[in-house]
Amino acid sequence: MNVDQPRAHAEQETEPAASPAGTEGAGEAGRPAVSVVVIVYNDAARLPTAVRSVLDQTLRDVEVVVVDDRSTDGSYEVARRLAAAHPGRVRACRLPENSGGCGAPRNRGITEARGTYVVFLDSDDVLERNACRNFLEAAETTGADLVSGLCVRVHVDARARKEVKWYPWLYERTRTLESVSELPDLLVFDTLSTNKCYRRQFLLDEDLRFPVGIHYEDLLFSAQAYATARSITLIPNRVYDWRVADKAEAKSISNRRDEIANFTHRMEIHRRVDRLLADRGLLDLKFAKDVKFLKHDLVLHLRELPFRDAAYREEFAAIARRYLESIDRAAFDETEPIHAICAYLLQVADWDNLLPAVDTLTNRDKISSPLVERDGRVYWCAEHLDDPFGRHVLDVTGLGHHIKAVDRMFLRNALTSYESSGTTVRLAGRVTNPLGVIPPGARLAGELEFYARRPGVRFQTFRFPVATLWHAGEAIAWEGSADLAAVRPLGIVDAVWDVRLHLDVDGVRTTTRLTAAEPGLAEGRLPVRPRLSRLVADRIEPVVSSRGHLSFRLVPDKKANVLVLRGVHGRAATLAKSGYRRARSLRKDLTSGDTKIRLYHEVFSRLPVRKGLVVFESHLGRQYSDSPRAIYEEMRRQGLEFEPVWAYADGPAGFPDDATLVRRWSLPYLRALAQAEFWVDNQSYPLKLTKRPETTYIQTWHGSALKRMGFDEAEWKLKSREEQAEQQRTLDRFDRFLIRSEHDVHTLARAFRLQERTLLRVGYPRNDALVRARWSEEGDGRRERGPLAAELGIPEDRQILLYAPTFRSRGNGQKRFELPFDVERFADTFGDRYVLLVRSHYLNHVVLPPSVRGRVLDVTSYHDMTPLLALADGLITDYSSVMFDYALLDRPMFFFAYDYDAYVHEDRGTYFDLLERAPGPVVRTEDELHTVLGSLEEQSVKYAPRREQFLADFGEYDRGTAARSVVDQFFGQWRRG
């Protein structure tokens, strides 16, 4: 609904009520089933579309009540014409004066409505065609006072009309709640009033009305409705299309965040909702709402601060501080660190640290503070550390900035000076230097780069060397200039140009964007010569992007621009643009996954198989490791004549120099797979690629199984017959599957439904080194640590423990693994006896605090696990298959199964009871872990019989000869001579 107008006063005017509409559905005699209240203000053009979406409902027993908020553009006249054209189905009324918001017209609609149920619709939106029928069926079936369905934001002025579902996880299935407390996310996130259907008598009995004279009325009304409803039904149906015009000249109320009154209204509504929840004893909901306020509501306004002057900032802070005092401090721990940091710094009015923090808030992963290390922890800033709560909030150790190299950092680059003269712009700035990652003696170089924002028209970039760079306290200062006469945009299609600074530190590059830290810093136009002539544009001016970065925009001559725009929208230009778009679409199609799969099957697979070509891959190309590596190195050791190809996923670093390296899913990769005589990997080549009959697939796999796998998993069993058949086809590609024990036969082989002829009982090539290490140790009674211990800096007088847990998923795509024990306590307790190596699963990563340096080491980046196992004096794990490999060394093992019941009974389940067969103590708590780690020698002796039995059960075919056996069987014919 468009409410971008001041109040207006006029006499009361109401259209006489029309006769009731029909009796179909749940409507009482003489009443419609559903009344849809359509509110309108100065939106005459779109009102008919909204009303038509109601009249076209598949449920016919629906009336439309149009309430005009005293429009000045003829909206009311349009409403009256609609009422006249649809007597008995459309009624129109208008308020005596403009209310300035949505509350008053909706309240009037509740009064005018005659239906058993009421739905609200804004004049610029539409109802989905089956919305009223789905609402009514759910309400009548469940007796709910309130039914809510899925809202979809439709970006109407986007070329592809992008659609975004509004909190879809709330509407994955139909469910009825006896109280909103059963699903706090509903009250916290879906605060819309328009994707809902209300029993009208419920609204009347509870006297539910929208607040008037204040914005964000939906938040309070929805909270009241949720809190008072006797039951709430959620349906998985799309019911409401929220049409968003991103390029609209007039912003909606919620988007006018540059107005301090807007923020004032939001805070007042939040206070009213808080009082409501407190009065009803819904404290858990209040806490969930506090978290959402810190993560969402406050963030929306904080992002505006860099663009506002000092007066606005001070007034904003004063309003926010009063509300922040009511926030439960525990809510700070439920947000991302930067959310909590910004809220705290705002509360203490620390602008020097807050504004850079807002830069990080807006630009995820940007490091905008120099950071500080105190007592082995890393903090956002040096201030406020004497405040216990401030110290807690500002602790950013867990973000892991202290372990990042400079080329992995996105650093804040604050623009400090901007001057222009003629065609030249002179710039200066300061690049944040967190924890001194750029040392004082580093060789520094830099260049400014100008490039078109739209990638599709980025035909050329323009670079200018930075004249001066120097250390300036906690930052790297720089000064440079660029003659924009050299920048030759095409014009029209590349109207916006971004700027970045590439900073080289001792030959290592990091890239920064130029943050315009203060409003009004960059001003003034410069001449420019587009390739399409100066008729397109003759000047370029600095602008600040929505993320606060310096950009430049072409400024066309107004008179000439009229002719240019006429040409741009003419027939010839339309044909040219459509041709360009077709070319881009074709290029996209040619590089798509489906096209590559067709190329593989229809082109590459028709090429002859190349004898001696072997494609190796480990863990989906992420590593040069495991049994494929062991087989490859054995082939090299034997001097075989073959053509090796190694696949990599992220980059070729660490892969062998004496092999052809191909990126996974690239065309060379697909061609190599299609023509290979052998595939060797430990997980799976792309599932949709059919293996040719002439190709032999050796599947080494990556570990014996404790947890259920393949078709033994409940998830696989629930798949359709077609999905299971497709999965089986990918497994049937295996020509040989390596087995290390009969346990593998009864678990992995059965779960993958492999034929007996496929099984190769030779053990795992990666474990040959472990078997040989045990032989050596038993032979002379001595342990050889080798070069890895020295590389890691481990003292000779320290024993080494390896902590290697299984994969942990945190949801939402997050890969960071939280250690399940206090690593600082561990270091303080055992640091004089042990060095702990932490090796998280290759799909996870872990962050260690600076306080444990030298005592606890993160070795996750070491792809090959075997040297780490050979180095360790003892293993700590949970359910990882690493237990089966480490058993070959006959050294102490400890099982920290802190979530055993959940893992075994609620997750995938296991093939055997770890508690009964573990070759070492199984502990549930950190204290128990510390107790059993007291002596490795004692544990070694105590569990020796169980380790022996465990090895016999799960490693019978690991005899130290697996790699040689595989090479002899499949590749021996390639020996020279």
Side-chain angles (χ1 to χ4, degrees), residues 12 135 656:
Q12 181 172 353
F135 276 144

Side-chain angles (χ1 to χ4, degrees), residues 845-866:
H845 75 269
V846 70
V847 173
L848 299 175
S851 58
V852 300
R853 286 191 188 107
R855 299 177 293 172
V856 183
L857 307 177
D858 179 14
V859 293
T860 304
S861 62
Y862 285 77
H863 288 175
D864 202 341
M865 190 73 162
T866 302

Side-chain angles (χ1 to χ4, degrees), residues 473-490:
E474 296 177 322
I476 303 298
W478 60 272
E479 293 178 351
S481 62
D483 185 355
L484 298 190
V487 176
R488 298 294 308 279
L490 183 65

Side-chain angles (χ1 to χ4, degrees), residues 740-751:
R740 58 187 306 237
S741 72
E742 287 305 303
H743 169 75
D744 291 352
V745 176
H746 301 312
T747 55
L748 290 172
R750 186 186 66 184

Side-chain angles (χ1 to χ4, degrees), residues 135 138 146-152 164-177 180 183 185-198 222 226 232-240:
F135 276 144
L146 168 61
V147 179
S148 189
L150 179 65
C151 171
V152 177
V164 180
K165 295 178 180 179
W166 189 253
Y167 302 113
W169 77 84
L170 297 171
Y171 299 100
E172 292 177 344
R173 59 184 175 86
T174 299
R175 50 182 163 175
T176 298
L177 312 173
V180 72
L183 185 63
D185 279 356
L186 186 61
L187 178 140
V188 171
F189 292 100
D190 188 1
T191 56
L192 300 176
S193 65
T194 48
N195 60 330
K196 298 171 176 59
C197 176
Y198 310 85
S222 295
Y226 285 142
I232 302 165
T233 295
L234 309 182
I235 58 176
N237 307 92
R238 179 175 182 163
V239 297
Y240 194 91

Side-chain angles (χ1 to χ4, degrees), residues 187-188 191 211 216-224 227 266-280 282 285-286 289 323:
L187 178 140
V188 171
T191 56
Y216 303 102
E217 57 281 305
D218 270 20
L219 275 68
L220 181 57
F221 181 83
S222 295
Q224 291 171 327
R266 186 187 284 270
M267 293 300 93
E268 176 57 26
I269 286 291
H270 273 283
R271 277 188 284 269
R272 294 186 190 186
V273 174
D274 291 345
R275 285 197 297 270
L276 168 71
L277 298 178
D279 291 344
R280 293 184 171 272
L282 301 173
L285 293 181
K286 167 66 166 63
K289 183 181 156 300
Y323 186 75

